[in-house]
Amino acid sequence: MICFNVPPYTGKEMDYIRQAVENQKICGDGEFTKKCNAWIEERTGTKKALLTTSCTHATELAALLAGIGPEDEVIMPAYTFVSTADAFVLRGAKVVFVDIRPDTMNMDENLIEDAVTERTKAIVPVHYAGVACEMDRIMEIARKHNLTVIEDAAQGIMSTYKGRALGTIGDFGCYSFHETKNYSMGEGGALLIRDEKYVEDAEILREKGTNRSKFFRGQIDKYTWVNYGSSYLPSDMNAAYLWAQLELADVINDARLARWKQYWELLTPLKERGILELPAVPEECVHNAHMFYIKAKDLEERTRLLTFLKENGILSVFHYIPLHTAPAGQKFGRFHGEDKYTTKESERLARLPMYYGLEEGQVDYIVSKIKEFYGV
Ligand SMILES: *Cc1c(COP(=O)(O)O)cnc(C)c1O
């Protein structure tokens, strides 16, 4: 059986968790959390990175920092995970969905401006499969209409757009370290903050509305309750698990890219014969092999393909059910313009097994079964 995903594990995780326990510092913002934050800051060049309990929570923090409130509108794609919308819906905002581009499955940058109204407060680009959205155009629209840009870079750590790390281009960036992502701590994420002016507020919001972060740095004598907030900081044991992978981030990235390229090379003949479609990576984007997907002709063919692969011991999956078609999506959002590609393309897409540790021979086998399915 070839799993669809296996959580990343490098071998050092248990040692580091033990170390966190022996440090007698298992709550948040311990040694490993600091190492992870510093690593993200150094690797991406962001002003500030703060580990959080999830990417969902990082997005909630960003929504709070951006001052999103009732009746505000937030523009995003409908082809995304529920968290992208949840963070804003929780603040009472209305979600406005725009269509995606069929090549990258990212929000179509040319449809955003038409969806802007007097109530629009933010744009939330989702970098699907770790391939960047057209950020220059998105930032230009945001500047013109004075909107906040919150990048859902849950899948985008280690990817770049014109040489800049995903999550550092907009006002805020959100990473996920869920077990299905390239680097994991079980459940976890990070908020990336571009502008220094938000850092203190972010620290307070993340620490239950207190100025405890300042206290720990010795900047004040005692800490107190200064604003509303919540608890968005993960335990240092979780950060210890993550640290084992961030230390080997390039090794993991290279291994994933090798399998991605193997899929790409072996499946290109099928693409050239018009049998299936493969992911597009625009020239200005460097991706992180978060995902390898193929597109079948239609929903019916995809269903048969996934069943055939399963019968042959290969777990391949699809996602997402477009948010505007879900009950909550209908309640909290609206689709602006025509759904030309969101539903159609989502019904054709199948994700192939992709994880750190996936073997060359396994990819050969998966591709051989896809070829068998198509009779080539
Ligand atoms: C995984 C994912 C999330 C949610 O991440 P969590 O860390 O589980 O909260 C949000 N958006 C996208 C696009 C994702 O892939």
PDB file of all heavy atoms in Angstrom, residues 16 19-20 23 25 27-37 236 239-240 243:
ATOM      1  N   TYR A  16      14.881  15.905  20.445  1.00  0.00           N
ATOM      2  CA  TYR A  16      14.581  17.303  20.715  1.00  0.00           C
ATOM      3  C   TYR A  16      13.383  17.447  21.658  1.00  0.00           C
ATOM      4  O   TYR A  16      13.375  18.339  22.506  1.00  0.00           O
ATOM      5  CB  TYR A  16      14.344  18.064  19.407  1.00  0.00           C
ATOM      6  CG  TYR A  16      15.608  18.258  18.593  1.00  0.00           C
ATOM      7  CD1 TYR A  16      15.556  18.479  17.222  1.00  0.00           C
ATOM      8  CD2 TYR A  16      16.864  18.233  19.200  1.00  0.00           C
ATOM      9  CE1 TYR A  16      16.709  18.658  16.471  1.00  0.00           C
ATOM     10  CE2 TYR A  16      18.022  18.405  18.461  1.00  0.00           C
ATOM     11  CZ  TYR A  16      17.942  18.612  17.093  1.00  0.00           C
ATOM     12  OH  TYR A  16      19.083  18.799  16.369  1.00  0.00           O
ATOM     13  N   GLN A  19      14.695  16.846  24.990  1.00  0.00           N
ATOM     14  CA  GLN A  19      15.437  18.031  25.427  1.00  0.00           C
ATOM     15  C   GLN A  19      14.478  19.112  25.948  1.00  0.00           C
ATOM     16  O   GLN A  19      14.755  19.734  26.976  1.00  0.00           O
ATOM     17  CB  GLN A  19      16.206  18.594  24.240  1.00  0.00           C
ATOM     18  CG  GLN A  19      17.646  18.918  24.538  1.00  0.00           C
ATOM     19  CD  GLN A  19      18.367  19.252  23.235  1.00  0.00           C
ATOM     20  OE1 GLN A  19      18.598  18.365  22.405  1.00  0.00           O
ATOM     21  NE2 GLN A  19      18.685  20.515  23.038  1.00  0.00           N
ATOM     22  N   ALA A  20      13.375  19.304  25.244  1.00  0.00           N
ATOM     23  CA  ALA A  20      12.385  20.305  25.689  1.00  0.00           C
ATOM     24  C   ALA A  20      11.860  19.925  27.067  1.00  0.00           C
ATOM     25  O   ALA A  20      11.714  20.783  27.951  1.00  0.00           O
ATOM     26  CB  ALA A  20      11.240  20.399  24.679  1.00  0.00           C
ATOM     27  N   ASN A  23      14.527  20.506  29.650  1.00  0.00           N
ATOM     28  CA  ASN A  23      14.688  21.945  29.911  1.00  0.00           C
ATOM     29  C   ASN A  23      13.644  22.453  30.898  1.00  0.00           C
ATOM     30  O   ASN A  23      13.694  23.594  31.330  1.00  0.00           O
ATOM     31  CB  ASN A  23      14.469  22.765  28.617  1.00  0.00           C
ATOM     32  CG  ASN A  23      15.612  22.628  27.634  1.00  0.00           C
ATOM     33  OD1 ASN A  23      16.666  22.125  27.978  1.00  0.00           O
ATOM     34  ND2 ASN A  23      15.401  23.065  26.401  1.00  0.00           N
ATOM     35  N   LYS A  25      10.725  23.244  30.167  1.00  0.00           N
ATOM     36  CA  LYS A  25      10.085  24.385  29.515  1.00  0.00           C
ATOM     37  C   LYS A  25       9.248  23.789  28.382  1.00  0.00           C
ATOM     38  O   LYS A  25       9.702  23.708  27.241  1.00  0.00           O
ATOM     39  CB  LYS A  25      11.175  25.332  28.993  1.00  0.00           C
ATOM     40  CG  LYS A  25      10.666  26.551  28.257  1.00  0.00           C
ATOM     41  CD  LYS A  25      10.089  27.598  29.167  1.00  0.00           C
ATOM     42  CE  LYS A  25       9.492  28.741  28.353  1.00  0.00           C
ATOM     43  NZ  LYS A  25       8.600  29.589  29.117  1.00  0.00           N
ATOM     44  N   CYS A  27       5.930  24.714  27.895  1.00  0.00           N
ATOM     45  CA  CYS A  27       4.880  25.636  27.432  1.00  0.00           C
ATOM     46  C   CYS A  27       5.406  26.413  26.218  1.00  0.00           C
ATOM     47  O   CYS A  27       6.409  26.061  25.621  1.00  0.00           O
ATOM     48  CB  CYS A  27       4.445  26.572  28.557  1.00  0.00           C
ATOM     49  SG  CYS A  27       5.690  27.761  29.049  1.00  0.00           S
ATOM     50  N   GLY A  28       4.725  27.461  25.840  1.00  0.00           N
ATOM     51  CA  GLY A  28       5.088  28.182  24.620  1.00  0.00           C
ATOM     52  C   GLY A  28       6.324  29.061  24.758  1.00  0.00           C
ATOM     53  O   GLY A  28       6.789  29.342  25.865  1.00  0.00           O
ATOM     54  N   ASP A  29       6.853  29.459  23.600  1.00  0.00           N
ATOM     55  CA  ASP A  29       7.973  30.400  23.521  1.00  0.00           C
ATOM     56  C   ASP A  29       9.222  29.953  24.273  1.00  0.00           C
ATOM     57  O   ASP A  29       9.959  30.778  24.829  1.00  0.00           O
ATOM     58  CB  ASP A  29       7.535  31.801  23.969  1.00  0.00           C
ATOM     59  CG  ASP A  29       6.750  32.509  22.861  1.00  0.00           C
ATOM     60  OD1 ASP A  29       6.909  32.132  21.681  1.00  0.00           O
ATOM     61  OD2 ASP A  29       5.972  33.428  23.170  1.00  0.00           O
ATOM     62  N   GLY A  30       9.464  28.643  24.276  1.00  0.00           N
ATOM     63  CA  GLY A  30      10.714  28.118  24.825  1.00  0.00           C
ATOM     64  C   GLY A  30      11.808  28.143  23.764  1.00  0.00           C
ATOM     65  O   GLY A  30      11.660  28.770  22.706  1.00  0.00           O
ATOM     66  N   GLU A  31      12.878  27.403  24.066  1.00  0.00           N
ATOM     67  CA  GLU A  31      14.074  27.428  23.225  1.00  0.00           C
ATOM     68  C   GLU A  31      13.790  27.003  21.778  1.00  0.00           C
ATOM     69  O   GLU A  31      14.278  27.620  20.830  1.00  0.00           O
ATOM     70  CB  GLU A  31      15.091  26.473  23.868  1.00  0.00           C
ATOM     71  CG  GLU A  31      16.436  26.436  23.221  1.00  0.00           C
ATOM     72  CD  GLU A  31      17.223  25.210  23.681  1.00  0.00           C
ATOM     73  OE1 GLU A  31      17.098  24.835  24.879  1.00  0.00           O
ATOM     74  OE2 GLU A  31      17.933  24.633  22.849  1.00  0.00           O
ATOM     75  N   PHE A  32      12.989  25.944  21.618  1.00  0.00           N
ATOM     76  CA  PHE A  32      12.749  25.442  20.259  1.00  0.00           C
ATOM     77  C   PHE A  32      11.837  26.378  19.461  1.00  0.00           C
ATOM     78  O   PHE A  32      12.022  26.543  18.259  1.00  0.00           O
ATOM     79  CB  PHE A  32      12.191  24.017  20.303  1.00  0.00           C
ATOM     80  CG  PHE A  32      13.236  23.019  20.706  1.00  0.00           C
ATOM     81  CD1 PHE A  32      13.269  22.498  21.994  1.00  0.00           C
ATOM     82  CD2 PHE A  32      14.219  22.627  19.809  1.00  0.00           C
ATOM     83  CE1 PHE A  32      14.258  21.601  22.370  1.00  0.00           C
ATOM     84  CE2 PHE A  32      15.216  21.731  20.169  1.00  0.00           C
ATOM     85  CZ  PHE A  32      15.237  21.219  21.465  1.00  0.00           C
ATOM     86  N   THR A  33      10.873  26.978  20.148  1.00  0.00           N
ATOM     87  CA  THR A  33      10.007  27.942  19.459  1.00  0.00           C
ATOM     88  C   THR A  33      10.861  29.099  18.947  1.00  0.00           C
ATOM     89  O   THR A  33      10.716  29.537  17.794  1.00  0.00           O
ATOM     90  CB  THR A  33       8.917  28.472  20.417  1.00  0.00           C
ATOM     91  OG1 THR A  33       8.214  27.353  20.950  1.00  0.00           O
ATOM     92  CG2 THR A  33       7.951  29.395  19.703  1.00  0.00           C
ATOM     93  N   LYS A  34      11.797  29.559  19.796  1.00  0.00           N
ATOM     94  CA  LYS A  34      12.661  30.675  19.397  1.00  0.00           C
ATOM     95  C   LYS A  34      13.535  30.299  18.201  1.00  0.00           C
ATOM     96  O   LYS A  34      13.742  31.092  17.287  1.00  0.00           O
ATOM     97  CB  LYS A  34      13.536  31.115  20.569  1.00  0.00           C
ATOM     98  CG  LYS A  34      12.755  31.942  21.584  1.00  0.00           C
ATOM     99  CD  LYS A  34      13.645  32.401  22.729  1.00  0.00           C
ATOM    100  CE  LYS A  34      12.780  32.972  23.843  1.00  0.00           C
ATOM    101  NZ  LYS A  34      13.336  32.659  25.174  1.00  0.00           N
ATOM    102  N   LYS A  35      14.050  29.070  18.227  1.00  0.00           N
ATOM    103  CA  LYS A  35      14.880  28.608  17.099  1.00  0.00           C
ATOM    104  C   LYS A  35      14.062  28.596  15.807  1.00  0.00           C
ATOM    105  O   LYS A  35      14.547  29.006  14.750  1.00  0.00           O
ATOM    106  CB  LYS A  35      15.365  27.171  17.352  1.00  0.00           C
ATOM    107  CG  LYS A  35      16.588  27.021  18.248  1.00  0.00           C
ATOM    108  CD  LYS A  35      16.878  25.521  18.351  1.00  0.00           C
ATOM    109  CE  LYS A  35      17.831  25.156  19.461  1.00  0.00           C
ATOM    110  NZ  LYS A  35      19.217  25.188  19.054  1.00  0.00           N
ATOM    111  N   CYS A  36      12.830  28.098  15.898  1.00  0.00           N
ATOM    112  CA  CYS A  36      11.981  28.016  14.694  1.00  0.00           C
ATOM    113  C   CYS A  36      11.648  29.410  14.175  1.00  0.00           C
ATOM    114  O   CYS A  36      11.732  29.668  12.969  1.00  0.00           O
ATOM    115  CB  CYS A  36      10.696  27.238  14.977  1.00  0.00           C
ATOM    116  SG  CYS A  36      10.987  25.489  15.338  1.00  0.00           S
ATOM    117  N   ASN A  37      11.267  30.317  15.087  1.00  0.00           N
ATOM    118  CA  ASN A  37      10.957  31.692  14.672  1.00  0.00           C
ATOM    119  C   ASN A  37      12.165  32.327  13.977  1.00  0.00           C
ATOM    120  O   ASN A  37      12.028  32.940  12.912  1.00  0.00           O
ATOM    121  CB  ASN A  37      10.589  32.559  15.885  1.00  0.00           C
ATOM    122  CG  ASN A  37       9.241  32.185  16.484  1.00  0.00           C
ATOM    123  OD1 ASN A  37       8.444  31.486  15.858  1.00  0.00           O
ATOM    124  ND2 ASN A  37       8.983  32.657  17.694  1.00  0.00           N
ATOM    125  N   ASP A 236       6.313  24.054  23.472  1.00  0.00           N
ATOM    126  CA  ASP A 236       7.683  23.917  22.968  1.00  0.00           C
ATOM    127  C   ASP A 236       7.989  22.476  22.548  1.00  0.00           C
ATOM    128  O   ASP A 236       8.915  22.250  21.774  1.00  0.00           O
ATOM    129  CB  ASP A 236       8.697  24.408  24.008  1.00  0.00           C
ATOM    130  CG  ASP A 236       9.909  25.070  23.336  1.00  0.00           C
ATOM    131  OD1 ASP A 236       9.711  25.913  22.439  1.00  0.00           O
ATOM    132  OD2 ASP A 236      11.047  24.717  23.691  1.00  0.00           O
ATOM    133  N   ALA A 239       7.200  22.471  18.967  1.00  0.00           N
ATOM    134  CA  ALA A 239       8.238  23.212  18.239  1.00  0.00           C
ATOM    135  C   ALA A 239       9.506  22.359  18.113  1.00  0.00           C
ATOM    136  O   ALA A 239      10.208  22.428  17.101  1.00  0.00           O
ATOM    137  CB  ALA A 239       8.540  24.524  18.944  1.00  0.00           C
ATOM    138  N   ALA A 240       9.766  21.532  19.136  1.00  0.00           N
ATOM    139  CA  ALA A 240      10.945  20.657  19.099  1.00  0.00           C
ATOM    140  C   ALA A 240      10.831  19.671  17.935  1.00  0.00           C
ATOM    141  O   ALA A 240      11.814  19.391  17.238  1.00  0.00           O
ATOM    142  CB  ALA A 240      11.074  19.906  20.424  1.00  0.00           C
ATOM    143  N   TRP A 243      11.552  21.593  14.782  1.00  0.00           N
ATOM    144  CA  TRP A 243      12.950  22.014  14.631  1.00  0.00           C
ATOM    145  C   TRP A 243      13.794  20.940  13.940  1.00  0.00           C
ATOM    146  O   TRP A 243      14.666  21.234  13.126  1.00  0.00           O
ATOM    147  CB  TRP A 243      13.549  22.405  15.987  1.00  0.00           C
ATOM    148  CG  TRP A 243      14.988  22.797  15.860  1.00  0.00           C
ATOM    149  CD1 TRP A 243      16.067  22.156  16.372  1.00  0.00           C
ATOM    150  CD2 TRP A 243      15.491  23.904  15.101  1.00  0.00           C
ATOM    151  NE1 TRP A 243      17.226  22.792  15.997  1.00  0.00           N
ATOM    152  CE2 TRP A 243      16.903  23.867  15.219  1.00  0.00           C
ATOM    153  CE3 TRP A 243      14.902  24.904  14.338  1.00  0.00           C
ATOM    154  CZ2 TRP A 243      17.721  24.810  14.591  1.00  0.00           C
ATOM    155  CZ3 TRP A 243      15.731  25.841  13.706  1.00  0.00           C
ATOM    156  CH2 TRP A 243      17.123  25.783  13.839  1.00  0.00           C
TER     157      TRP A 243
END
